[in-house]
Amino acid sequence: TNNRDNGLKIAQNQKYDLAIIDDGLQEKSINYDISIACFNTSKGIGNGFLLPSGPLRENISEIKKYDAAFLNGEKKNRKLLFLLNKKNKNLKIFEAKYMPLNIKKFNRNKKFLIFSGIGNPEEFLTTLKKFKFKIIEKYFFPDHHKFTTSEIKKIKKIAKNKKLEIVKTEKDYFRLDKKNKKNIKFLKIKLNIINS
């Protein structure tokens, strides 16, 4: 909260026209011009519960206050689409898919180990499989996991013993310190908005 407040103050003082805040919609003290909710199409609203019991950051009824929603992922979720339209008829809905940008850097004839500490690692796995990566081992850690050197060593040892290349998300990769990045590649991904 404090970082967001400081960031907004700096943006206002320096006369920026636009401030984009990530994961900030639960901050009711901020007066947003545009509010965008994001959903993963494979999870949808899940069990309908809030974090940590479910995938939602706030009750689904709050969608009535939003301007737009992004439905991200490979799966077409008609149930989610219907629910969002029912809760907010004015909601602009955009569908988006994950597109790898550095796919040519990978030899997809090889076999891979993936590990991740993001909120929805299954979508990362789905993207890799869509682009014909042969995933032999996978290790999913909690969101925002701080990888220890011993965890990285253990993963590298497994990969070496099984002759696997290591690939992870870009977000995860840049959380590693310099020495732990050695022999680890990341998949650079952009969100391709279908109906922009």
Side-chain angles (χ1 to χ4, degrees), residues 167-189:
V167 63
K168 63 187 311 167
T169 66
E170 183 177 12
K171 185 177 179 181
D172 280 325
Y173 179 82
F174 285 105
R175 280 200 209 120
L176 299 177
D177 61 36
K178 192 175 180 178
K179 70 174 182 186
N180 285 335
K181 287 177 180 173
K182 191 176 182 206
N183 297 326
I184 295 176
K185 294 179 179 176
F186 66 88
L187 192 66
K188 190 174 182 68
I189 294 176

Side-chain angles (χ1 to χ4, degrees), residues 115-145:
F115 71 105
S116 171
I118 58 170
N120 190 10
E122 295 84 9
E123 201 65 48
F124 177 53
L125 179 61
T126 302
T127 302
L128 289 168
K129 285 181 176 178
K130 178 184 174 184
F131 289 93
K132 308 289 189 255
F133 281 79
K134 295 177 190 89
I135 310 301
I136 306 303
E137 295 280 342
K138 58 183 185 289
Y139 300 92
F140 296 153
F141 294 80
D143 197 13
H144 303 294
H145 182 74

Side-chain angles (χ1 to χ4, degrees), residues 21-181:
I21 299 174
D22 182 30
D23 282 346
L25 290 170
Q26 292 73 49
E27 288 295 324
K28 301 303 178 195
S29 62
I30 298 172
N31 183 22
Y32 294 99
D33 294 306
I34 299 172
S35 299
I36 302 169
C38 292
F39 294 89
N40 180 271
T41 56
S42 58
K43 280 188 178 177
I45 66 162
N47 60 8
F49 293 131
L50 306 184
L51 289 168
S53 303
L56 299 178
R57 294 182 186 272
E58 60 186 352
N59 192 294
I60 192 63
S61 64
E62 293 294 308
I63 201 72
K64 65 183 176 283
K65 299 176 183 173
Y66 291 75
D67 301 296
F70 279 77
L71 311 186
N72 306 326
E74 291 301 317
K75 183 181 172 193
K76 188 114 174 138
N77 192 328
R78 295 187 193 289
K79 189 176 170 185
L80 176 61
L81 203 54
F82 176 78
L83 177 67
L84 295 175
N85 279 319
K86 186 178 166 190
K87 298 269 183 199
N88 182 346
K89 289 184 181 10
N90 297 317
L91 191 70
K92 303 264 187 286
I93 298 176
F94 301 92
E95 295 180 72
K97 295 192 184 302
Y98 299 104
M99 288 298 301
L101 298 176
N102 62 339
I103 198 120
K104 289 181 178 162
K105 288 189 174 184
F106 294 90
N107 178 351
R108 284 170 286 160
N109 293 320
K110 292 192 174 186
K111 294 176 180 171
F112 292 87
L113 175 152
I114 67 169
F115 71 105
S116 171
I118 58 170
N120 190 10
E122 295 84 9
E123 201 65 48
F124 177 53
L125 179 61
T126 302
T127 302
L128 289 168
K129 285 181 176 178
K130 178 184 174 184
F131 289 93
K132 308 289 189 255
F133 281 79
K134 295 177 190 89
I135 310 301
I136 306 303
E137 295 280 342
K138 58 183 185 289
Y139 300 92
F140 296 153
F141 294 80
D143 197 13
H144 303 294
H145 182 74
K146 299 257 189 281
F147 293 98
T148 65
T149 299
S150 66
E151 285 170 336
I152 302 297
K153 278 183 182 173
K154 200 181 288 184
I155 285 166
K156 284 182 177 182
K157 187 177 181 184
I158 293 165
K160 186 177 180 183
N161 290 342
K162 295 190 177 189
K163 295 182 174 60
L164 305 174
E165 297 257 325
I166 302 172
V167 63
K168 63 187 311 167
T169 66
E170 183 177 12
K171 185 177 179 181
D172 280 325
Y173 179 82
F174 285 105
R175 280 200 209 120
L176 299 177
D177 61 36
K178 192 175 180 178
K179 70 174 182 186
N180 285 335
K181 287 177 180 173

